[in-house]
Amino acid sequence: MYTMPSPKTLLTSLWAIFGTLGQACDNVTLVTDVPTDGTNLALQSYSYCSGTLNVTSYIKNLDYDKIVTLYYTNADNISTPLSAVQLAYEQDVVDVDGWEYWGSSTPHVNLDGITRMLNLTFRATDLGQTLTQTLNLPVNATGPPPTSSIIPAPYATPTGFSQDVTAFLAPSNGSEAGIAKTNMLKNFNVTGAADGTVIAAQSYTDPDYAYNWVRDASLTMDVVKSLYAAANGTSKTLYAGMLFAYAGARATEQIDPNLQTGLGEPKFNLDNSVFTGPWGRPQNDGPATAAITLIEFANAFLAAHGNVKTIKTKIYDSNKYPTKAPVLKDLMFVASNWSSSSFDLWEEEQSDHFYTRMVQHRAMVIGAAFATKLGDSKTASTLSAAASDIASTLPQFWDSIRQLILYENGPVLNNKYSYKDVAVLLAVIHGYANDGIFSYTDDQVLSSLFQIVTSFIPVFPIASTHFDTAGLPLGTPVGRYPEDTYNGTSTSSQGNPWYLCTLTVAEIFYRASTTFQGAALIGITNTSAPFWNHFAAGAASDFEPGQILRVGTSEFEYAIAALRGWGDAFVRTVKFYTPEGGHLSEEIDTVSGAPVGARDLTWSYAALLTAAFARAEARGDKAYVSELAGLGTAASSG
């Protein structure tokens, strides 16, 4: 029986024809001068060549903050959130006052296809105006067929845990884990800062990270929460004091009279007054991650026979204790604002972000359970409803064409045409609510992990270093996203690998191995097969869709060992590029391998410790976190 091919299949076939009939790229010029009819915008020219959409437009310089977007229909003749590109300023129009060229060159548009340009939209955000040029222009593909990148075969087949990584992460003074714990806690309550604050890095110039970021502080204190839960005696008391101080600082932030965008404010000065300068705001993940950290601390505190009243007055009940207890206010903010777009965790783009939605969902899930525990049924009902509503939106981030979880569900922003971002993996680590929605072993997560990691192979020169001096395999150094241009001080060159991003990959591998081991089986699907055939390439035969690996079989045991081996390989990359003394900066120079960017980045240390916790769990080392929690008294309590 003959089945009509899809429009996307037809598009690919047509491109093959174009490739044989003519190789030239056609550029269509619509106008040659700026408009004089008062429209304030005009599409000047465009081409759709070899899968890349190039557009140039005239934009009137009406205000400083502009958002210029071109909307179109895809190969199925429909317009989706991805059927759009955002244009960027290029230069002023010569000899014409008040006009600018805005344009974009967006590769891989062929993945979804383009059939017709619908309109060009110019949002003058300072003026609150939106201007639109209706286009309704058919678009034809020209030039040779687009080429797709080929992912190289794996250069190693590591399996199992390695002694060098065990030593690197040992719960002892002088190991990198010990150094990370000490240096992370040194960034709590730095000299002159308000009580309960966390400095992002003790880097005061080039770059200036001397602020208390809501997100970074919550993720740091989440590590302290884990240390508290595992600690005993005076160490436990110390960590509890830090966490209660952090809760008080968060409550102070919430009632600052100068908040610019409510509780979505991204960062505060070290005296804990809100930063009011220009910035990417709001960032609505912060209230969610802050609530998650403090709820989990409260649960650990109560499990250790702590007083319920203490938790209500110092952690939960913002209505009765607004100057002390921040959690309820943060939870209700998330419940009311989760559907609003906000800036991403890299503070660069405003959209609907997978990371933000995931941590908001988790906050609602555990918030509802915690409210129920405290007898607050009304709040529990509100949060539970919000959790369900958020969960219903999460599947929209999966792109079946790309076989990728999109970091944001919208047009290409900041030239991130690949839609690959390690924020997706951070979303799973920070946002998985133990409810089966995008778990560590989810096929779509594994497919995204595979694509994100391998996307950096052709980007970073140091990715060609595959083994350390002892001949042990290194994982690919991982950055934020392959199109990144932030190099630690400016956005003028290729971005770098980040310590925390590389450690995030390691943590995902460890947590996946633990989860699969607990499930006692692994199902191979069309979506996950490429992941397994790359990262478990040493298996006796290729993994096939439909195959079930069961505990006790050689295939299952090899797959688990491969996950652990690659987890260690990514930690070994961090080890390989860690300077003498163990100080972790923000980034690793993409050519030399030297540490660059903010020195002693708090999040780098937190990421190393959470990866170490995940590895210890995978190894069955139940004493690890307790031993690390008891190391010294390097933490500052005020």
Side-chain angles (χ1 to χ4, degrees), residues 195-197 212 214 244-255 259 262-265 268 272 286-288 290-291 294 322-327 329-330 333:
D195 189 27
T197 57
N212 177 36
V214 175
F244 279 121
Y246 162 67
R250 178 62 188 149
T252 298
E253 294 164 4
Q254 293 175 339
I255 59 175
L259 296 178
L263 300 190
E265 284 300 310
F268 292 75
N272 218 20
L294 288 172
T323 63
K324 296 180 180 179
V327 165
K329 186 175 288 186
D330 273 338
F333 175 85

XYZ file of all heavy atoms in Angstrom, residues 195-197 212 214 244-255 259 262-265 268 272 286-288 290-291 294 322-327 329-330 333:
281
model
N 24.288 38.706 56.582
C 24.212 37.341 57.086
C 23.325 36.484 56.185
O 22.245 36.903 55.776
C 23.639 37.357 58.509
C 23.733 36.001 59.197
O 24.641 35.221 58.849
O 22.892 35.728 60.083
N 23.801 35.286 55.859
C 23.008 34.346 55.077
C 23.176 34.461 53.578
O 22.477 33.776 52.824
N 24.089 35.308 53.109
C 24.277 35.506 51.667
C 25.418 34.645 51.135
O 26.308 34.222 51.866
C 24.559 36.981 51.343
O 25.719 37.415 52.079
C 23.374 37.851 51.711
N 25.045 38.391 45.260
C 24.323 37.247 45.810
C 23.200 36.893 44.829
O 22.119 37.474 44.878
C 23.769 37.620 47.194
C 22.940 36.514 47.809
O 23.232 35.337 47.655
N 21.882 36.901 48.526
N 20.218 34.774 43.360
C 19.197 33.940 43.987
C 19.397 32.472 43.609
O 19.370 31.581 44.465
C 17.780 34.413 43.591
C 16.711 33.477 44.153
C 17.553 35.841 44.091
N 19.377 28.337 58.266
C 18.402 29.277 58.825
C 18.786 30.718 58.483
O 17.919 31.555 58.209
C 18.285 29.097 60.335
C 17.399 27.942 60.740
C 17.908 26.900 61.508
C 16.065 27.900 60.356
C 17.098 25.840 61.889
C 15.251 26.833 60.724
C 15.777 25.798 61.493
N 20.090 31.017 58.492
C 20.542 32.359 58.108
C 20.213 32.632 56.637
O 19.785 33.736 56.268
C 22.034 32.502 58.355
N 20.397 31.616 55.783
C 20.060 31.754 54.361
C 18.562 32.018 54.193
O 18.159 32.874 53.390
C 20.480 30.493 53.606
C 19.825 30.334 52.257
C 20.107 31.212 51.211
C 18.895 29.313 52.029
C 19.492 31.079 49.980
C 18.281 29.176 50.797
C 18.577 30.057 49.770
O 17.958 29.916 48.561
N 17.738 31.309 54.944
C 16.291 31.531 54.871
C 15.943 32.963 55.254
O 15.113 33.613 54.602
C 15.560 30.536 55.776
N 16.582 33.466 56.305
C 16.335 34.842 56.715
C 16.751 35.841 55.653
O 16.063 36.845 55.416
N 17.884 35.562 54.987
C 18.345 36.449 53.917
C 17.369 36.439 52.746
O 17.098 37.479 52.134
C 19.735 36.021 53.455
N 16.830 35.271 52.433
C 15.862 35.190 51.346
C 14.595 35.963 51.697
O 14.012 36.656 50.836
C 15.522 33.722 51.043
C 14.480 33.523 49.956
C 14.927 34.073 48.621
N 13.857 34.048 47.624
C 13.728 34.926 46.646
N 14.612 35.907 46.498
N 12.730 34.836 45.782
N 14.143 35.888 52.942
C 12.970 36.649 53.365
C 13.219 38.150 53.242
O 12.335 38.914 52.837
C 12.599 36.272 54.795
N 14.430 38.585 53.581
C 14.794 40.002 53.452
C 14.720 40.445 52.003
O 14.231 41.545 51.695
C 16.205 40.240 54.009
O 16.227 39.912 55.405
C 16.634 41.694 53.818
N 15.184 39.584 51.090
C 15.121 39.911 49.664
C 13.681 40.099 49.202
O 13.384 40.990 48.398
C 15.792 38.790 48.856
C 17.292 38.676 49.094
C 17.874 37.354 48.614
O 17.121 36.544 48.026
O 19.082 37.121 48.854
N 12.805 39.286 49.703
C 11.414 39.321 49.254
C 10.697 40.620 49.604
O 9.748 41.013 48.902
C 10.646 38.140 49.849
C 11.074 36.782 49.341
C 10.358 35.655 50.053
O 9.839 35.840 51.165
N 10.296 34.485 49.435
N 11.135 41.272 50.648
C 10.434 42.487 51.083
C 11.222 43.758 50.786
O 10.883 44.837 51.274
C 10.101 42.423 52.593
C 11.380 42.258 53.432
C 9.129 41.289 52.880
C 11.136 42.297 54.930
N 12.357 46.211 44.629
C 12.294 45.116 43.664
C 11.784 45.631 42.319
O 10.790 46.359 42.270
C 11.383 44.004 44.175
C 11.815 43.265 45.455
C 10.766 42.232 45.829
C 13.174 42.614 45.285
N 9.296 42.036 41.078
C 8.778 41.114 42.080
C 9.815 40.109 42.518
O 11.015 40.401 42.569
N 9.376 38.897 42.821
C 10.298 37.887 43.357
C 11.183 37.279 42.281
O 12.038 36.451 42.592
C 9.509 36.784 44.064
C 8.640 37.226 45.240
C 8.104 36.005 45.994
C 9.406 38.134 46.194
N 11.007 37.680 41.027
C 11.868 37.205 39.957
C 13.173 37.968 39.827
O 13.911 37.774 38.860
N 13.492 38.803 40.811
C 14.769 39.524 40.772
C 15.935 38.534 40.790
O 15.972 37.630 41.627
C 14.893 40.475 41.954
C 14.079 41.728 41.821
C 14.466 42.537 40.591
O 15.670 42.800 40.391
O 13.554 42.887 39.826
N 21.275 40.223 44.124
C 21.296 41.246 45.165
C 22.736 41.626 45.473
O 23.662 40.832 45.277
C 20.584 40.731 46.419
C 19.097 40.553 46.229
C 18.588 39.480 45.505
C 18.208 41.478 46.738
C 17.230 39.325 45.299
C 16.839 41.336 46.540
C 16.352 40.257 45.822
N 22.703 42.621 50.612
C 21.406 42.007 50.344
C 20.337 43.002 49.927
O 19.141 42.693 49.976
C 20.896 41.159 51.513
C 20.192 39.894 51.019
O 20.393 39.462 49.895
N 19.365 39.304 51.871
N 14.517 31.308 40.174
C 15.084 31.541 41.500
C 14.144 31.238 42.653
O 14.513 30.519 43.591
N 12.909 31.761 42.643
C 11.991 31.427 43.733
C 11.741 29.923 43.854
O 11.563 29.402 44.960
C 10.708 32.169 43.332
C 11.184 33.322 42.515
C 12.354 32.792 41.742
N 11.743 29.213 42.725
C 11.513 27.761 42.765
C 12.688 27.036 43.393
O 12.505 26.176 44.272
C 11.256 27.236 41.350
N 14.980 28.241 45.359
C 15.096 28.621 46.770
C 14.111 27.825 47.620
O 14.449 27.322 48.704
C 14.852 30.126 46.925
N 12.876 27.703 47.138
C 11.869 26.943 47.878
C 12.248 25.472 47.988
O 12.091 24.855 49.047
C 10.504 27.091 47.205
N 14.987 24.968 50.696
C 14.540 25.164 52.070
C 13.497 24.130 52.485
O 13.452 23.737 53.663
C 14.006 26.582 52.247
C 15.113 27.649 52.246
C 14.522 29.052 52.221
C 16.035 27.477 53.455
N 6.683 37.376 57.734
C 7.237 37.814 56.442
C 8.699 38.218 56.480
O 9.359 38.210 55.448
C 6.342 39.004 56.064
C 5.813 39.506 57.370
C 5.626 38.293 58.221
N 9.230 38.555 57.659
C 10.635 38.963 57.733
C 11.572 37.789 58.012
O 12.786 37.966 58.026
C 10.828 40.021 58.835
O 10.495 39.450 60.117
C 9.961 41.246 58.572
N 11.007 36.604 58.209
C 11.837 35.455 58.574
C 11.632 34.239 57.670
O 12.593 33.531 57.369
C 11.543 35.043 60.018
C 11.885 36.072 61.073
C 11.548 35.536 62.465
C 11.887 36.538 63.554
N 11.541 36.007 64.909
N 10.390 33.986 57.273
C 10.050 32.725 56.604
C 9.702 32.970 55.136
O 8.641 33.528 54.830
C 8.869 32.060 57.318
N 10.541 32.525 54.184
C 10.324 32.880 52.775
C 9.586 31.853 51.926
O 9.148 32.169 50.823
C 11.753 33.033 52.258
C 12.524 32.001 53.038
C 11.881 31.956 54.411
N 9.445 30.609 52.369
C 9.050 29.537 51.461
C 7.643 29.708 50.905
O 7.413 29.573 49.689
C 9.209 28.165 52.139
C 8.474 27.075 51.363
C 10.683 27.802 52.249
N 5.837 32.303 50.412
C 5.757 33.401 49.449
C 6.378 32.987 48.110
O 5.820 33.283 47.042
C 6.459 34.639 50.004
C 6.304 35.878 49.128
C 6.914 37.103 49.774
C 6.086 37.583 50.942
N 6.587 38.865 51.513
N 7.512 32.313 48.151
C 8.122 31.851 46.906
C 7.238 30.836 46.193
O 7.085 30.863 44.966
C 9.504 31.241 47.180
C 10.619 32.278 47.185
O 10.431 33.356 46.590
O 11.682 32.004 47.775
N 4.313 32.566 44.564
C 4.779 33.311 43.387
C 4.894 32.381 42.187
O 4.449 32.702 41.073
C 6.127 33.974 43.667
C 6.731 34.650 42.463
C 6.372 35.947 42.119
C 7.651 33.987 41.652
C 6.918 36.564 40.999
C 8.202 34.601 40.535
C 7.832 35.894 40.206
